[in-house]
Amino acid sequence: GAWSRPESCPPGQRLVSFRLRVEAPRGLWDDTAANAMAAICSGGSLLEGRGGPQGTWGNWSLPCPPGAGVCGLRTRVERPQRGGDDTGLNDVELYCCS
């Protein structure tokens, strides 16, 4: 795939919550899994990646506590299926710190 343009919180703000747009499993059809991510900055700005249109938006994550922001992440990626349908990125967890 191609990288979209960078999205950033305004100066002095931190990313505090996010959600993913994920396509549900389609059985025999080509599954895409996570297609886009949106995030909220500590000042309320909304950032939205230019992902694919497939899937539906999930719920917003719990926000970081006041004064904290995202400082780490963990991803869930499907292993190669060897002839099966590979999805790639399936989920993201973001970690808060102050």
Side-chain angles (χ1 to χ4, degrees), residues 33-81:
N35 288 298
M37 181 174 164
I40 296 177
C41 302
S42 54
S45 299
L46 174 66
L47 308 178
E48 190 172 312
R50 307 283 187 253
Q54 298 91 343
T56 55
W57 286 106
N59 295 327
W60 287 100
S61 67
L62 293 175
C64 292
V70 172
C71 61
L73 63 92
R74 179 169 82 154
T75 59
R76 183 181 349 198
V77 178
E78 181 182 55
R79 292 184 176 157
Q81 299 298 298

Side-chain angles (χ1 to χ4, degrees), residues 22-35 54-55 78 81 83-88:
V22 178
E23 181 183 41
R26 297 178 48 185
L28 298 176
W29 300 97
D30 187 25
D31 297 321
T32 59
N35 288 298
Q54 298 91 343
E78 181 182 55
Q81 299 298 298
D85 184 15
D86 295 323
T87 57

